[in-house]
Amino acid sequence: MLDLIRANAQSWGVKIAFGIIILVFVFWGVGGLTGGPSTVILTVNGEPITIQEFQRKYEQLEQQVRAQYPDLDAAGLKAMQLKQQLIQNLILENLITQEAERVGIVVTPVELRKLIESFPAFHNEEGKFDPDAYVRMIKAQRNTPGNFEAELRNNMLMNKLRADVTAGAFVPEAEVRDLFRYEGERRILEYVFYPLEDYTSKVTVDDAQIKDYYEANQASFTVPPQADVEYLLIGAEALAAAQNISDAAVSEYYEKNAAQFATPEMVRARHILILSDAKASAEDQAKAKAKIEEIAQRIKAGEDFGTVAKEVSEDPGSAPQGGELGWFAHDQMVPEFDKASFALNPGELSEPVKTQFGWHLIQLEEKKAAGQKPLDEVKDQIRTRLAQDEASGKVQEALEQVQLAVIGGKSLKEAGEPLKLAPQETGLVNTTELTEKMGIKPENLPALLAAKPGTVLDTPFVTKTGYVIAKVNESKPQTVKPLDAVKDDIKARLQQDKARTLAFEAANAERKTFTADLPKELQGKLKKTEPVGRQGYMGELGMNTELAKAAFTAKVNDWLPVAYTLDGGAAIARVAEVVTPSDEDWKTAAPQITDAVLNAKREQMFRGFLSLLRSNAKIELKNETILAD
């Protein structure tokens, strides 16, 4: 099709027709979704969920899944049943919103704004909330501030409702302690090991076996398809270079947004921490305070703060750096620490300060007064921001301009020059690297891989930041490595498998020769593990969940009845000792374990509450076709 259009590129009819094609490409699927009952997918207690809402959230969900699983193909995506999952989530969101409204739970604008301003992604270089960065970030995710804030408000409502519903959750100490003992119990095993190396020389692998393995495991030897693609990225960030932002516009922005460039009062400090849990006994807290007071006397007597911090501080993050915390502003530390730090002058040492973490000594190193960054320091940053904002409204126009130039026979380099866009090249890479480098979706790959070398694809690909016009320089189909290339690897694998089988058979045969006492000829080979847990990791024996399961049901000194296959061979084993958590271990871990169990119980309570809401709700599906894959 592109060749036919290119041949008649100077025709005004072609240019008009192409403009229509672009409009259809850009707006397809939007104009037909407004108005009428067909826009409602389902209702929850009479409240509608629309196609627009579903499609927007489905696109976000799909992007998240593809970011997490870059190699996921269309079949894998379909198997995940994302549409069905999303429908269930939308139903729950509506039920939560309705219930929150019924019981009078609200999220105030102040609460919402405070949460949004706390997200680092929306901060400028000074660590302050930047409205422009907020809007740009939301737009980059193909969202709008209104939609984002509605979703955030729903999450906050759910958290408030969860807190109300689960306020009465309680776990007895005995229940938590039993769980702690169960999870914390360890076993020490004695074992006789039968290493692969002792049996490798006893096995043979012939060419027929190698060939059979190769033919039965072709998927293990495939080389994925590859392509070398030249491409032009058309998006706000890429187009920013072509925007002419005047000095007057930069100055105007600086004056109107002076608060963004304010620098807060900041200090640079060191600290020494002696841990003391708020729930600790009065005696333990007194000991911690006495210890910090003793340390303070050492520093006042002339010892170097940094040297003492490395020796005694119990803050693992700062102790190795001599207690150095770097620069921080107000409200970046807990209130007590904040107040004490900013009250000091450079070089001064604080009195002991109590916080939720324990007792601190603080030494102030430097202090900066609040101020304003000069325009000269931030003008380039402002110019870039204004250029990107201006370019964001010109993406569609630039896309049309580039496509018309390519249809007219120009190269990607020539098509991009008026817009100061330079083509990039992937090099010959596999499909995973193609999607990463170009920012395209996996479903775009078949079109790329099917194109003949030298072809500029008719349709641009949509990315998170704009569009991509692609030209395929070279492509290679998926192939299977020839047998000769993998023959040695297969032989080594088969030798290991056979040697492991011989090791297991030898171990099992010797295990059958005794019941209680290990034969004398094996006693010299007896080894012992470190304490091992229920998860299955057995130290130098590697991972074996079946061996761990058997060890935690066996009696001490009883040999397990069978041998076990391991990565490095095989073994016979018995439990030599049971190690249970001590009272001191329990005392240390109790707060964290109790919180974890309590949170799990709260989650269980809330799930039960949501199930009750769901069972009592009236849910009507209005449009089943949207769920079809």
Side-chain angles (χ1 to χ4, degrees), residues 27 71 79 85 89 113 144 204 209 221 245 251 285 330 332 362 368 410 428 444 469 487 522 567 572 581 610 625:
F27 296 109
D71 296 330
Q85 291 183 44
N89 288 343
R113 180 177 178 82
T144 66
T204 57
Q209 291 170 325
F221 308 112
I245 306 299
S251 297
Q285 294 205 37
H330 278 295
Q332 288 186 266
I362 306 168
K368 290 180 182 176
K410 292 185 176 180
L428 189 62
N444 299 141
I469 305 290
K487 185 175 182 179
L522 295 179
D567 287 343
I572 55 176
L610 293 180
T625 58

Side-chain angles (χ1 to χ4, degrees), residues 2 22 51 68 75 124 128 157 220 237 263 283 295 340 346 452 456 480 489 556 563 580 582 602:
L2 195 56
I22 291 177
I51 288 178
Q68 190 172 359
N124 58 23
K128 298 180 66 175
L157 274 178
S220 302
E237 188 174 343
T263 55
E283 181 183 356
I295 295 167
K452 294 180 180 179
V456 178
V480 178
D489 290 340
V556 174
T580 56
S582 68
R602 285 172 176 157

Side-chain angles (χ1 to χ4, degrees), residues 185-307:
E185 184 180 303
R186 297 290 182 265
R187 303 233 163 172
I188 297 174
L189 305 185
E190 289 184 330
Y191 65 94
V192 176
F193 188 57
Y194 298 76
L196 286 182
E197 293 76 16
D198 291 354
Y199 301 91
T200 305
S201 61
K202 301 177 183 180
V203 301
T204 57
V205 176
D206 58 34
D207 288 345
Q209 291 170 325
I210 294 173
K211 183 179 179 183
D212 288 345
Y213 184 92
Y214 175 77
E215 292 177 349
N217 296 273
Q218 291 276 296
S220 302
F221 308 112
T222 56
V223 178
Q226 297 176 298
D228 175 14
V229 180
E230 181 184 359
Y231 64 98
L232 207 57
L233 178 61
I234 304 170
E237 188 174 343
L239 291 170
Q243 310 309 310
N244 294 314
I245 306 299
S246 67
D247 291 342
V250 172
S251 297
E252 182 182 0
Y253 184 92
Y254 177 78
E255 291 170 3
K256 287 183 177 180
N257 298 274
Q260 290 185 28
F261 307 107
T263 55
E265 181 184 16
M266 299 186 75
V267 294
R268 184 167 73 89
R270 296 176 183 268
H271 87 135
I272 293 171
L273 170 65
I274 298 301
L275 294 170
S276 178
D277 194 295
K279 298 178 182 178
S281 66
E283 181 183 356
D284 287 342
Q285 294 205 37
K287 287 180 180 178
K289 185 178 181 183
K291 189 173 182 180
I292 202 76
E293 288 173 341
E294 181 183 334
I295 295 167
Q297 291 306 316
R298 290 175 58 184
I299 295 168
K300 289 176 181 178
E303 290 192 53
D304 178 69
F305 189 100
T307 303

Side-chain angles (χ1 to χ4, degrees), residues 506-527:
N508 221 28
E510 289 196 324
R511 175 62 192 89
K512 292 177 181 179
T513 64
F514 66 95
T515 54
D517 297 326
L518 191 68
K520 289 183 179 180
E521 61 270 21
L522 295 179
Q523 289 178 4
K525 299 179 179 180
L526 197 62
K527 296 182 179 180

